């Protein structure tokens, strides 16, 4: 179950659209800045397949200029962790 | 499929861990953003600032209604961040309602009062709280010197903690020597008290919530429990589903969510519950469903004055006069109340009356009656309580598991603080001011001369606000309540409070219409920002520690009173340190209740448990009073001992039907009924600041019967003007909304300060309990 | 994987026994005359079906339906779903035919799954809103776009009950969709033992504008 955070920069004038689009996406939470056209995006997906799908959808967003990752975590990468633990 | 506890815990731990990682992910992004874009700000992130992501859980009773659910408050850093039901609390067994689950959000409204304010040249100016307390003490001293001790008054609340009410009583009654001490519980449950006192001689229910798990029949008397006591109501529903021998009868003046869930919804015309209760008794005797063994041993018969008035005029006074009668006289009295006669008065069919009587009369059925504001806010509030007790006494269905006439309360500590501590003009922590022995006990425990305690009660709440309007009272200190929304006939009392030489102090947590009339505002600590105790409807005392710090200079109501008392020269009576004062106050207060009838649990026991029921004797709680199997105060060797009365009996009262203070007529042709909704507590000053509750119920409305709405030509949401002889309010119509009044009645929830419905209501009250009737007055409607 | 399938198979069999139980009918209370049953968003139905549906049925879980499949049948959140199974040409489209399964729920051997229960069985002309899909493909490609459905887990506090994110119109009864073996897995409740759903869950419609409270003095 991967968790990532990004700094997201919208295309010029598209900040509102970006807010709306990111808010509507599953597995996404946003923290918009008050005084800059920047959005923090935290994603939290249940598995790698969903993560991949989500990343594809993010790439398709017209309002999005660029994204840079600031944090990444994946339980499946943890050593000693049994696969399938969280399938319940 | 049920998950085991361990599995659940694992899930919770995983969720906690995920929340923590997510919070770390967001923090790291914010740190990066701050490095790249200096000065960047993320307001939304503030909700988690200072929180570690880890939660510890602390016990407390819920802040809102009188049910007294045990909650566990999740604390992260110095902030309350989550709530869950306390599985160890027998009241709610881990379940809350929507208000309880979001209760901690009520601490964090943006407009929280954090600084004291004083009116200077008409403007409220912030001052250090110490200065405000100096001003209050000086003003009290000055007012008493000029106008006598009865020119200062305190108006508190059933949301006071027990120590709040106790120090208020000690200061006003013991030290200052005035009985000008009242609480908003007068508006909420004083008829319940006078009902208990007249029928049993001792206050508070004989049964407990466990009755719900045994009863076969529930009758809700004017009581929309599905919204107002939802946790108890869903316990009833779960019982009905599980046991297959349970039915719920909703007996009310309006169709509500409780009617939806009930097996039977029976409507009566306002005020005629008196007649129907008598008719049920008539039927029980007529069909010989009387429990003669019980009746002959444990019951005596009485009557009081009739045609007792409504108290709408200033200085109204009434004292009841009890006369004993015998069973035959009582039976003869009931002849006016045959089901057929009562059908004409009440609109309830004789068939339905007989049906209800048959449920109470069936010896194989255990019956629990529930009521709250419908019977309490009633110009014959004391009488209707007597009459419902009559039904239970004739059939002997009382003080045993499942057989329970149960008076619910609306506030978290109406019982604990107002009834048990006695923060009403006539009362003391034990007994009343008129009783010499009670005054001596109080003077001894309080360490004041007995001559300090005035044997004469002064003003009950409505009369107190009238005295403020007249100028007999010049100074009033209001804590934890919002009378400028809740007083009936509000226009008069607001104008009174605003008069030139009146001085109003308000201890509050948020700006309200009451702080709007204040000369001094003290910022108060709220709920778990202080240590304290509440007492719920089933005689349960519930302690909570200080769990989070109060904001700014906010101070607990208890400590505000202590600070002022010391400034007035009563250091000796208020000697406690800030760290220890709650425990010390509790142990001092407990001395008033020593003995098997009312013994309270020690402080150390309260700290450990999610609530302890009194009488607490030899380490055991008492679940059913007057029953020797459960109650150690029973000494007569019989199967019941109603030890509250000198004759060791419960009293049946012959009380007639008398009409309401104001009924619809040709000009004012509708009944106005007021009340609450599940989302909001009282005037909404807390719950409206909880996002989910406000968003679910953003504003008030007037409920109309669909046919009346059609007659008036209004559709849902259109504005309707409600006009009474006292005032008017214009608000949106609700048709087939949360509830449906019968034709000729409208209903308005009172939580919304934008629509002050109490400018329309009438300040008539029960002459015995002095509790106003918010459920009945006459209005007319106009399409606005 | 095979083991898991076995497990599900067994569970389905056990649940099949529940098909006789099903969701209870909607006997309405002996309410006062002249009072429409539709008030309070028709919430009476929650109490009736809660009381009439056996606890075993409410607590059962088949995992047959998930949210993706649920929205797959809808054009926008709240639209009437298509009929996802074949409907014989001879099907009379009389309400009895739909309601014989969809009023009460239970196990359908032919489709090997539990039948979803309608929250509004009193609307008997089912095909007024629900139509089967008779062929694939479109007449012309569409530019249709909708909003995303309400997100899950929209609690206001960690662990607090999530509000009801959807309108209650035609979905006033919580019991059919949120309990029982045919409930959608993601929105199924584990705590069906107490029937006053709206005690904890209040409607905060995710698409409604928020009203702000401003004090006036």
């Amino acid at each position: 179950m991967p968790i990532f955070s990004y700094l997201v920069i919208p295309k010029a004038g598209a900040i509102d659209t970006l807010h709306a689009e990111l808010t509507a996406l599953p597995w996404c939470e946003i923290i918009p800045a008050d005084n800059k056209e920047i959005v923090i995006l935290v994603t939290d997906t249940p598995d790698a397949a969903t993560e991949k799908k989500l990343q594809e959808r993010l790439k398709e967003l017209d309002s999005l200029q660029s994204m840079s990752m600031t944090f990444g975590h994946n339980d499946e990468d943890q050593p000693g962790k049994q696969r399938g633990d969280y399938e319940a | 499929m049920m998950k085991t506890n361990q599995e659940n815990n694992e899930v919770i731990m995983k969720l906690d861990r995920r929340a923590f990682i997510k919070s770390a992910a967001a923090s790291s992004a914010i740190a990066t953003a701050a490095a790249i874009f200096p000065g960047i700000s993320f307001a939304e992130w503030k909700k988690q600032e200072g929180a570690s992501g880890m939660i510890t859980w602390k016990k407390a009773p819920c802040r809102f209604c009188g049910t007294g659910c045990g909650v566990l408050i999740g604390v992260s850093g110095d902030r309350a961040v989550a709530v869950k039901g306390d599985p160890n609390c027998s009241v709610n067994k881990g379940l809350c309602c929507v208000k309880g689950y979001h209760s901690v959000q009520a601490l964090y409204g943006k407009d929280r009062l954090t600084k004291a304010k004083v009116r200077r040249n008409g403007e409220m100016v912030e001052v250090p709280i110490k200065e405000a307390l100096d001003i209050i003490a000086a003003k009290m001293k000055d007012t008493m010197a000029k106008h006598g001790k009865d020119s200062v008054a305190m108006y508190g609340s059933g949301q006071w903690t027990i120590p709040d009410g106790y120090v208020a009583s000690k200061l006003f009654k013991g030290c200052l020597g005035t009985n000008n001490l009242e609480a908003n519980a007068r508006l909420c449950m004083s008829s319940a008290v006078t009902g208990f006192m007249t029928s049993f001689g001792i206050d508070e229910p004989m049964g407990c919530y466990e009755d719900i798990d045994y009863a076969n029949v529930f009758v809700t008397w004017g009581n929309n429990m599905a919204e107002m006591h939802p946790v108890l109501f869903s316990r009833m529903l779960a019982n009905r589903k599980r046991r297959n021998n349970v039915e719920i009868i909703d007996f009310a003046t309006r169709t509500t969510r409780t009617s939806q869930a009930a097996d039977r919804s029976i409507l009566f015309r306002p005020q005629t519950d008196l007649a129907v209760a008598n008719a049920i008794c008539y039927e029980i005797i007529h069909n010989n469903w009387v429990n003669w063994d019980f009746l002959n041993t444990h019951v005596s018969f009485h009557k009081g004055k009739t045609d007792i008035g409504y108290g709408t005029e200033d200085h109204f006074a009434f004292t009841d006069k009890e006369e004993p009668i015998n069973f035959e006289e009582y039976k003869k009295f009931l002849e006016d109340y045959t089901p057929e006669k009562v059908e004409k008065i009440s609109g309830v069919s004789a068939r339905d009356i007989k049906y209800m009587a048959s449920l109470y009369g069936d010896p194989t059925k255990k019956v629990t009656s529930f009521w709250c504001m419908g019977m309490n806010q009633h110009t014959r509030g004391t009488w209707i309580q007597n009459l419902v007790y009559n039904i239970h006494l004739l059939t002997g269905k009382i003080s045993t598991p499942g057989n329970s006439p149960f008076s619910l309360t609306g506030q978290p500590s109406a019982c604990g603080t107002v009834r048990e501590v006695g923060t009403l003009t006539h009362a003391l922590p034990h007994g009343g001011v008129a009783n010499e022995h009670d005054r001596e006990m109080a003077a001894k425990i309080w360490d004041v001369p007995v001559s300090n305690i005035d044997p004469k009660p002064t003003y009950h709440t409505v009369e107190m606000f009238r005295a403020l309007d007249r100028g007999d009272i010049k100074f009033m200190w209001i804590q934890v309540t919002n009378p400028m929304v809740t007083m009936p006939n509000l226009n008069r009392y607001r104008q009174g409070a605003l008069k030139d030489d009146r001085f109003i102090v308000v201890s509050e947590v948020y700006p309200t219409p009451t702080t709007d009339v204040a000369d001094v505002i003290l910022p108060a600590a709220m709920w778990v920002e202080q240590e304290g105790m509440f007492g719920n409807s089933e005689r349960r005392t519930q302690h909570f520690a200080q769990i989070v710090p109060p904001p700014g200079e906010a101070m607990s109501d208890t400590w505000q009173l202590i600070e002022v008392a010391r400034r007035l020269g009563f250091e000796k009576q208020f000697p406690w340190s800030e760290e220890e004062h709650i425990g010390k106050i509790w142990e001092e207060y407990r001395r008033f209740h020593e003995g098997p009838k009312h013994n309270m649990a020690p402080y150390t026991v309260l700290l450990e448990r999610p609530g302890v029921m009194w009488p607490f004797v030899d380490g055991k709680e008492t679940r059913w009073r007057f029953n020797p199997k459960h109650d150690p105060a029973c000494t007569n060797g019989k199967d019941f001992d109603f030890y509250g009365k000198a004759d060791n009996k419960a009293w049946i009262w012959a009380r007639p039907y008398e009409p309401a203070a104001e009924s619809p007529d040709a000009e004012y042709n509708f009944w106005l009924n007021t009340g609450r909704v599940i989302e909001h507590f009282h005037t909404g000053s807390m719950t409206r600041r909880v996002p989910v509750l406000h968003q679910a119920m953003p504003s008030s409305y007037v409920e109309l019967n669909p046919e009346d709405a059609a007659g008036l030509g209004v559709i849902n949401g259109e504005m309707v003007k409600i006009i009474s002889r006292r005032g008017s309010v214009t608000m949106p119509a609700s048709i087939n909304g949360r509830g449906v009044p019968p034709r000729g009645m409208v209903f308005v929830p009172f939580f919304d300060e934008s629509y002050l419905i109490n400018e329309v209501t009438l300040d008539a009250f029960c002459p015995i309990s002095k509790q106003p009737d918010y459920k009945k007055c006459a209005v007319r409607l106009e399409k606005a | 994987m095979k083991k898991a399938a076995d497990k599900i198979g067994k569970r389905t069999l056990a649940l099949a026994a529940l098909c006789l139980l099903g969701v209870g009918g909607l006997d309405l209370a002996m309410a006062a005359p002249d009072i429409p049953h539709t008030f309070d968003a028709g919430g009476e139905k929650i109490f009736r079906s809660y009381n009439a549906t056996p606890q075993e049925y409410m607590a059962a879980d088949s995992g047959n339906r998930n949210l993706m499949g649920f929205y797959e049948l809808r054009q926008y959140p709240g639209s009437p779903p298509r009929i996802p199974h074949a409907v014989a040409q001879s099907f009379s489209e009389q309400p009895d035919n739909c309601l014989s399964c969809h009023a009460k729920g239970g196990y359908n051997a032919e489709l090997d799954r539990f039948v979803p229960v309608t929250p509004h069985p009193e609307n008997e002309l089912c095909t007024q809103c629900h139509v089967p899909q008779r062929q694939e493909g479109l007449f012309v490609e569409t530019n249709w776009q909708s909003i995303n459905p309400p997100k899950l887990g929209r609690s206001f506090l960690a662990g607090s009950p999530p509000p009801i994110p959807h309108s209650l119109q035609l979905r006033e009864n919580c019991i059919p969709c949120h309990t029982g073996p045919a409930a959608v897995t993601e929105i199924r409740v584990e705590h069906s033992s107490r029937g006053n759903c709206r005690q904890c869950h209040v409607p905060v419609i995710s698409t409604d504008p928020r009203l702000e409270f401003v004090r006036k003095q």
Side-chain angles (χ1 to χ4, degrees):
Chain A
M1 20 192 232
I3 296 174
F4 295 100
S5 69
Y6 309 88
L7 290 185
V8 187
I9 298 171
K11 286 195 178 139
I15 182 79
D16 292 336
T17 323
L18 179 68
H19 278 186
E21 287 181 337
L22 288 177
T23 310
L25 281 179
W27 323 113
C28 289
E29 273 180 35
I30 65 165
I31 307 170
D34 314 329
N35 50 3
K36 292 258 173 6
E37 297 216 333
I38 291 185
V39 176
I40 286 173
L41 170 68
V42 181
T43 66
D44 175 6
T45 48
D47 51 58
T50 320
E51 179 63 35
K52 201 170 160 210
K53 221 184 264 173
L54 175 65
Q55 302 225 4
E56 277 163 18
R57 290 182 72 176
L58 284 168
K59 275 179 210 151
E60 285 166 10
L61 295 180
D62 285 339
S63 58
L64 193 150
Q65 170 81 41
S66 73
M67 276 172 73
S68 51
M69 192 192 294
T70 52
F71 180 96
H73 167 89
N74 193 345
D75 268 0
E76 292 179 47
D77 301 337
Q78 305 290 309
K81 189 92 183 159
Q82 297 267 325
R83 261 171 186 278
D85 256 9
Y86 21 79
E87 270 177 15
Chain B
M1 239 150 278
M2 289 291 286
K3 283 207 173 76
T4 65
N5 261 344
Q6 200 195 338
E7 278 171 329
N8 270 334
N9 286 341
E10 277 168 19
V11 170
I12 289 163
M13 280 172 66
K14 261 184 208 165
L15 290 176
D16 279 354
R17 187 175 138 71
R18 277 196 90 61
F20 180 69
I21 296 169
K22 271 165 85 174
S23 143
S27 302
S28 130
I30 285 172
T32 313
I36 307 175
F37 309 98
I40 196 167
S41 133
F42 295 88
E44 226 179 89
W45 180 246
K46 280 195 186 119
K47 54 184 163 185
Q48 292 166 51
E49 204 176 298
S52 63
M54 296 294 158
I55 291 179
T56 52
W57 299 94
K58 304 243 171 85
K59 80 166 171 90
C62 177
R63 173 63 182 80
F64 299 122
C65 81
T67 303
C69 293
V71 296
L72 294 172
I73 296 184
V75 185
S76 180
D78 62 357
R79 291 175 71 86
V81 296
V83 176
K84 56 187 181 187
D86 183 352
N88 291 322
C89 182
S90 67
V91 171
N92 56 316
K93 302 179 180 179
L95 187 68
C96 297
C97 79
V98 66
K99 288 187 297 302
Y101 279 118
H102 298 92
S103 52
V104 293
Q105 291 186 297
L107 298 169
Y108 298 113
K110 222 174 189 171
D111 54 348
R112 201 46 212 276
L113 299 171
T114 58
K115 291 245 171 70
K117 288 180 189 169
V118 176
R119 192 174 298 275
R120 283 188 182 140
N121 303 322
E123 290 289 309
M124 294 308 281
V125 187
E126 283 185 2
V127 297
I129 193 163
K130 289 211 173 344
E131 193 179 323
L133 293 163
D134 291 341
I135 293 169
I136 293 166
K139 191 75 192 174
M140 286 173 83
K141 222 181 250 178
D142 183 49
T143 308
M144 285 191 291
K146 274 194 201 140
H147 304 284
K149 63 185 174 61
D150 288 339
S151 64
V152 300
M154 173 124 217
Y155 184 58
S157 157
Q159 298 157 62
W160 255 345
T161 67
I162 291 173
D164 292 341
Y166 182 75
V167 295
S169 179
K170 188 172 182 177
L171 174 61
F172 276 74
K173 300 197 167 208
C175 299
L176 302 178
T178 176
N179 286 323
N180 279 352
L181 174 66
E182 277 278 302
N184 71 353
R186 175 75 74 180
L187 315 176
C188 157
M189 40 98 281
S190 56
S191 296
V193 178
T194 49
F196 278 113
M197 296 310 288
T198 47
S199 291
F200 303 99
I202 186 168
D203 192 20
E204 298 198 26
M206 51 290 297
C208 62
Y209 297 153
E210 223 181 304
D211 284 316
I212 298 171
D213 304 329
Y214 296 99
N216 306 108
V217 178
F218 294 95
V219 184
T220 52
W221 287 76
N223 186 200
N224 181 9
M225 278 178 83
E227 290 194 72
M228 308 323 157
H229 296 88
V231 169
L232 301 178
F233 191 72
S234 64
R235 186 159 164 185
M236 264 158 66
L237 295 183
N239 264 283
R240 178 173 71 179
K241 185 168 175 58
R242 191 171 67 236
R243 290 196 274 132
N244 288 326
N245 59 354
V246 175
E247 55 192 313
I248 301 170
I249 313 299
D250 181 44
F251 184 61
T253 61
R254 159 178 167 256
T255 306
T256 65
R257 210 172 257 189
T258 304
S259 327
Q260 290 181 336
D263 296 279
R264 190 89 175 242
S265 157
I266 299 174
L267 291 181
F268 62 93
R269 293 187 192 122
Q271 190 83 355
T272 65
D273 43 353
L274 297 159
V276 175
N278 275 328
I280 291 172
C281 290
Y282 173 90
E283 272 294 294
I284 287 169
I285 293 174
H286 187 70
N287 291 297
N288 198 20
W289 292 328
V290 176
N291 181 339
W292 290 107
D293 285 345
F294 180 89
L295 197 75
N296 291 333
T297 323
H298 300 296
V299 176
S300 57
F301 295 86
H302 307 263
K303 68 175 185 182
K305 287 186 187 168
T306 56
D307 197 11
I308 61 177
Y310 300 98
T312 45
E313 64 278 11
D314 280 36
H315 303 295
F316 173 88
F318 173 82
T319 315
D320 203 10
K321 189 170 174 297
E322 177 273 331
E323 281 177 60
I325 54 171
N326 60 32
F327 177 73
E328 287 308 317
E329 286 169 284
Y330 174 65
K331 194 174 159 188
K332 187 148 189 326
F333 157 82
L334 289 177
E335 278 168 17
D336 287 343
Y337 300 97
T338 64
E340 290 71 21
K341 285 180 190 164
V342 170
E343 174 173 331
K344 294 200 183 77
I345 304 170
S346 65
V348 182
S349 70
R351 199 176 123 255
D352 281 346
I353 293 172
K354 290 176 181 177
Y355 170 69
M356 285 174 73
S358 73
L359 296 174
Y360 279 104
D362 184 339
T364 66
K365 288 193 162 96
K366 293 180 177 149
V367 188
T368 290
S369 304
F370 277 116
W371 66 89
C372 196
M373 291 309 135
M375 271 169 54
N376 293 357
Q377 296 179 334
H378 193 307
T379 51
R380 294 293 176 265
T382 311
W383 288 8
I384 184 63
Q385 323 263 332
N386 293 147
L387 296 180
V388 173
Y389 292 130
N390 289 354
I391 301 171
H392 283 266
L393 291 171
L394 283 174
T395 53
K397 293 189 179 182
I398 195 164
S399 288
T400 46
N403 285 318
S404 195
F406 206 112
S407 160
L408 296 164
T409 50
Q411 300 188 82
S413 200
C415 283
T417 305
V418 180
R419 291 160 76 161
E420 291 159 27
V421 177
T423 56
L424 296 169
T425 183
H426 64 279
L428 285 170
H430 178 91
V433 293
N435 181 305
E436 194 182 346
H437 169 261
D438 295 341
R439 288 199 304 278
E440 278 166 5
M441 178 198 256
K444 188 163 167 254
I445 295 175
W446 285 345
D447 193 13
V448 295
V450 69
S451 58
N452 265 23
I453 303 172
D454 193 328
K456 220 173 149 306
T458 52
Y459 309 109
H460 57 83
T461 295
V462 170
E463 197 58 29
M464 189 186 255
F465 278 90
R466 287 175 184 167
L468 182 71
D469 178 38
R470 291 193 302 262
D472 301 338
I473 289 175
K474 305 279 190 195
F475 172 101
M476 188 187 280
W477 186 351
I478 298 164
Q479 286 191 325
V480 219
T481 185
N482 193 3
M484 292 304 125
V485 178
T486 56
M487 284 301 292
N489 192 9
L490 180 59
N491 274 325
R492 174 181 176 186
Y493 302 118
R494 190 194 306 106
Q495 281 155 20
L498 285 169
K499 282 182 180 167
D500 271 348
D501 63 339
R502 312 294 189 273
F503 196 87
I504 312 289
V505 178
V506 179
S507 306
E508 250 301 357
V509 296
Y510 288 111
T512 66
T514 305
T515 60
D516 291 349
V517 304
D519 297 288
V520 175
I521 299 172
L522 292 178
M526 182 180 163
W527 189 29
V528 293
E529 294 167 353
Q530 61 194 325
E531 184 183 359
M533 301 92 176
F534 287 155
N536 80 350
S537 290
E538 56 161 2
R539 294 175 279 110
R540 183 180 298 276
T541 314
Q542 301 162 295
H543 174 270
F544 50 98
Q546 187 191 39
I547 294 174
V548 294
E553 289 209 281
M555 182 185 279
S556 78
D557 295 308
T558 304
W559 201 255
Q560 292 172 12
L561 281 157
I562 292 173
E563 288 280 349
V564 168
R566 289 177 179 175
R567 283 165 170 76
L568 292 168
F570 302 107
E571 292 89 350
K572 193 174 79 166
Q573 284 78 15
F574 299 87
W576 315 290
S577 73
E578 231 177 318
E579 294 70 40
E580 290 185 325
H581 68 292
I582 298 297
K584 298 267 191 222
I585 288 170
W586 175 258
E587 289 303 328
E588 179 181 309
Y589 161 60
R590 206 160 73 87
R591 291 169 59 195
F592 280 94
H593 292 311
E594 274 168 11
K597 290 180 189 174
H598 201 136
N599 205 38
M600 313 289 279
Y603 182 64
T604 46
V605 174
L606 290 183
L607 291 182
E608 287 160 12
R609 302 193 195 173
V612 184
M613 289 170 85
W614 62 264
F616 183 76
V617 181
D618 298 331
K620 272 168 72 181
E621 302 176 61
T622 303
R623 288 175 297 168
W624 286 278
R625 287 199 295 172
F626 312 137
N627 179 337
K629 286 182 202 143
H630 301 276
D631 183 352
C634 295
T635 52
N636 65 353
K638 297 177 182 164
D639 50 355
F640 292 94
D641 184 356
F642 292 96
Y643 49 73
K645 290 284 194 190
D647 63 359
N648 274 51
K649 286 184 175 176
W651 289 17
I652 280 183
W653 285 86
R655 304 284 203 188
Y657 161 73
E658 287 181 2
E662 185 181 74
S663 302
D665 54 23
E667 196 185 348
Y668 295 92
N669 55 343
F670 277 82
W671 288 106
L672 168 66
N673 181 2
T674 67
R676 276 188 43 216
V677 291
I678 187 170
E679 290 88 349
H680 291 299
F681 180 72
H682 282 200
T683 61
S685 56
M686 293 180 287
T687 46
R688 297 187 86 196
R689 286 169 171 87
V690 174
V692 64
L693 299 176
H694 173 65
Q695 287 168 7
M697 182 56 77
S699 58
S700 186
Y701 50 80
V702 52
E703 275 176 9
L704 294 122
N705 182 280
E707 287 178 43
D708 287 332
L712 202 62
V714 296
I715 59 167
N716 234 337
E718 283 188 320
M719 299 303 271
V720 176
K721 187 171 186 185
I722 309 162
I723 309 152
S724 79
R725 293 178 175 88
R726 295 154 295 280
S728 68
V729 59
T730 303
M731 58 199 307
S734 164
I735 299 154
N736 290 333
R738 187 62 63 84
V740 185
R743 290 208 67 171
M745 180 196 284
V746 294
F747 174 86
V748 176
F750 71 93
F751 69 85
D752 189 343
E753 65 177 67
S754 307
Y755 304 107
L756 290 171
I757 191 60
N758 278 317
E759 294 185 350
V760 180
T761 54
L762 175 65
D763 51 350
F765 51 79
C766 168
I768 303 175
S769 70
K770 327 293 193 232
Q771 175 167 1
D773 187 334
Y774 290 90
K775 307 292 188 188
K776 298 167 212 95
C777 74
V779 295
R780 66 190 162 84
L781 308 178
E782 284 174 8
K783 184 175 174 174
Chain C
M1 201 56 213
K2 186 175 181 300
K3 224 175 164 190
D6 271 2
K7 220 166 152 188
I8 288 166
K10 265 185 204 145
R11 195 159 63 167
T12 310
L13 270 182
L15 287 173
L18 287 167
C19 71
L20 293 175
L21 300 168
V23 174
L26 291 173
D27 299 326
L28 296 176
M30 299 178 71
D34 318 328
I35 301 294
H37 290 293
T38 50
F39 80 92
D40 194 16
E44 179 171 13
K45 290 200 274 183
I46 303 172
F47 296 118
R48 299 297 140 203
S49 59
Y50 163 75
N51 203 38
T53 310
Q55 184 59 43
E56 294 78 4
Y57 191 86
M58 278 201 289
D61 183 10
S62 70
N64 271 173
R65 286 169 86 203
N66 64 20
L67 208 52
M68 198 107 75
F70 179 88
Y71 286 120
E72 194 74 27
L73 300 174
R74 287 156 173 82
Q75 302 301 306
Y76 55 88
S79 85
R82 280 189 287 117
I83 299 171
H85 53 76
V87 177
Q89 288 293 340
S90 64
F91 187 75
S92 69
E93 295 187 358
Q94 287 302 300
D96 283 359
N97 284 333
C98 299
L99 287 173
S100 62
C101 291
H102 288 288
K104 207 167 178 296
Y107 181 70
N108 182 302
E110 198 182 330
L111 296 170
D112 184 26
R113 55 200 293 131
F114 281 86
V115 181
V117 180
T118 171
H120 46 256
E122 70 284 2
N123 294 316
E124 296 189 334
L125 187 57
C126 309
T127 52
Q128 172 182 333
C129 304
H130 302 278
V131 291
Q133 186 179 19
R134 305 226 188 258
Q135 66 160 50
E136 300 261 331
L138 297 174
F139 176 60
V140 174
E141 284 297 315
T142 174
N143 281 326
W144 163 253
Q145 281 186 332
S146 180
I147 52 165
N148 279 284
K151 284 199 197 176
L152 296 178
R154 277 291 173 224
S155 292
F156 278 70
L157 294 174
S160 77
I164 303 165
H166 59 74
S167 149
L168 294 177
Q169 196 175 2
L170 292 165
R171 287 174 288 170
E172 53 280 89
N173 187 357
C174 320
I175 305 294
C177 300
H178 294 280
T179 75
V184 175
T185 306
E186 293 92 331
I187 59 169
R188 196 178 154 273
V189 298
E190 295 275 353
H191 53 274
S192 56
S193 63
R194 286 202 183 171
N196 195 8
C197 311
R198 296 166 300 171
Q199 164 182 331
C200 298
H201 305 280
V202 291
V204 176
I205 312 302
S206 59
T207 49
D208 277 0
R210 301 279 182 263
L211 284 170
E212 235 172 87
F213 168 69
V214 181
R215 281 202 84 227
K216 50 173 191 249
Q217 231 174 294

